[in-house]
Amino acid sequence: MPSQREIRRRIGSVKNIKQITRAMQFVAASKLKRAQDATLQARPYREKLDEVIADVAAVLSHEDHPLLARREGGTRLLVLFTTDRGLAGSLNTNTIRHISREVAESTGDIRVVTVGRKGTAAMRRARVPVAAAFDGFGDKPDFASVLPLTRLITDDFLAGTYSRIDLVHPKFVSTLVQRPVVEALLPIEPSADTVGIPGNQFLWEPSASTVLEQLLPRYVATRIFQAVLETTASEQSSRMVAMRNATDNAQELIEDLTLTYNKVRQANITREMIEIATGARAL
């Protein structure tokens, strides 16, 4: 059985860890509100833009803009979003496991662009070809920060390097639930529900190609930015929950160690009293 000094030392160490995890919990909670608001406020714009682009794609073809082109075969690109730092529970593990299934089930060539150091390290360990690697965009991502990634993806698709591009990222559902998803990005999928689409009654000013030249790149950037916001909100919520669980576990460990310390202390006192009584009887 450990000595009283060893148990006191362990209790002190666990108390220090508890203070750290509790502080990290509060920091994540303060960042979560801002990240959650940004994610939820951006969703209606992205959803309406998705709807408009899908309707446009239903009545136009690749002749109007190359981002609408559909190619058979070719290389598929997966854009993986993870965090730069750990201590976020199972968030990164679940997302990496999700993309690993996509890679294993795919029959064609696959390459990956990673956003976040955790995803980059995991893909390199798995020997999945990494076309490009980006660090995360921080706790306060802005729209301008995703433009280099958007330009890289768009240029590669226009050059015919990839026939299909998908986004893989955790989707923020609630504080306790973050679900990894795979979302198609390019080519743009036309709307399956053509009821109500005016077809050739669309009026383009100055022309369809000119409008799409401005609209489609912004659509790609918006989808990527939404994935970044979803990842940021998921990271903060997962870290807050993980640090809260760590704090609770530390408190339970402190209570167990305190109980053990009291038992050892009581046993030492009893032994000393027996030794004193034995010595007095011997005299």
Side-chain angles (χ1 to χ4, degrees):
M1 182 174 292
S3 64
Q4 290 180 247
R5 179 178 298 179
E6 293 174 349
I7 297 175
R8 283 199 303 268
R9 188 181 298 115
R10 290 186 62 188
I11 291 175
S13 300
V14 176
K15 284 183 177 179
N16 292 336
I17 294 174
K18 178 185 174 183
Q19 290 178 348
I20 295 173
T21 56
R22 187 172 178 83
M24 294 182 67
Q25 173 189 343
F26 289 149
V27 171
S30 65
K31 294 180 179 179
L32 172 60
K33 175 61 177 174
R34 180 176 60 247
Q36 179 178 342
D37 290 344
T39 301
L40 297 180
Q41 290 171 6
R43 279 182 184 174
Y45 176 81
R46 193 220 69 183
E47 291 170 356
K48 182 56 66 173
L49 185 59
D50 287 351
E51 181 181 339
V52 171
I53 292 296
D55 289 347
V56 169
V59 297
L60 296 179
S61 66
H62 66 278
E63 297 177 355
D64 299 285
H65 197 281
L67 289 183
L68 300 174
R70 305 185 66 84
R71 309 183 184 102
E72 297 297 332
T75 303
R76 178 187 180 189
L77 179 68
L78 297 175
V79 185
L80 172 64
F81 295 84
T82 58
T83 68
D84 281 340
R85 297 173 295 168
L87 299 178
S90 60
L91 178 68
N92 290 319
T93 302
N94 291 338
T95 307
I96 292 170
R97 186 182 296 121
H98 199 71
I99 193 175
S100 297
R101 283 199 298 266
E102 286 290 323
V103 172
E105 295 173 358
S106 178
T107 56
D109 294 335
I110 282 190
R111 302 190 74 184
V112 176
V113 169
T114 59
V115 179
R117 297 173 189 169
K118 293 297 182 180
T120 302
M123 292 297 98
R124 286 175 176 168
R125 284 195 304 269
R127 301 188 182 278
V128 177
V130 177
F134 293 80
D135 288 344
F137 297 107
D139 298 329
K140 298 179 181 179
D142 54 29
F143 190 79
S145 61
V146 305
L147 295 182
L149 174 59
T150 302
R151 193 175 302 113
L152 171 67
I153 293 175
T154 303
D155 291 347
D156 284 346
F157 185 82
L158 294 178
T161 306
Y162 306 113
S163 61
R164 175 181 171 186
I165 300 177
D166 297 328
L167 305 179
V168 183
H169 64 88
K171 182 176 181 179
F172 178 80
V173 180
S174 67
T175 303
L176 298 177
V177 180
Q178 303 86 38
R179 185 176 299 114
V181 296
V182 178
E183 296 180 341
L185 179 65
L186 294 174
I188 296 172
E189 296 288 340
S191 175
D193 183 10
T194 57
V195 177
I197 297 179
N200 293 329
Q201 297 177 17
F202 273 124
L203 298 178
W204 302 95
E205 183 65 35
S207 64
S209 59
T210 304
V211 173
L212 293 178
E213 192 69 31
Q214 297 295 323
L215 185 60
L216 294 186
R218 186 171 184 85
Y219 160 79
V220 175
T222 300
R223 290 290 304 277
I224 293 176
F225 184 57
Q226 183 66 40
V228 171
L229 293 178
E230 298 279 353
T231 303
T232 302
S234 298
E235 176 186 4
Q236 300 304 334
S237 60
S238 183
R239 178 169 292 119
M240 184 190 70
V241 173
M243 292 302 100
R244 184 180 62 192
N245 292 336
T247 302
D248 294 341
N249 292 337
Q251 179 60 36
E252 292 179 3
L253 184 55
I254 290 172
E255 294 173 357
D256 293 340
L257 289 173
T258 301
L259 180 60
T260 302
Y261 174 81
N262 291 334
K263 289 181 179 179
V264 172
R265 180 171 176 270
Q266 185 64 42
N268 291 337
I269 293 174
T270 303
R271 188 185 67 253
E272 291 173 359
M273 291 179 63
I274 292 174
E275 290 174 353
I276 292 173
T278 303
R281 184 176 302 127
L283 294 175

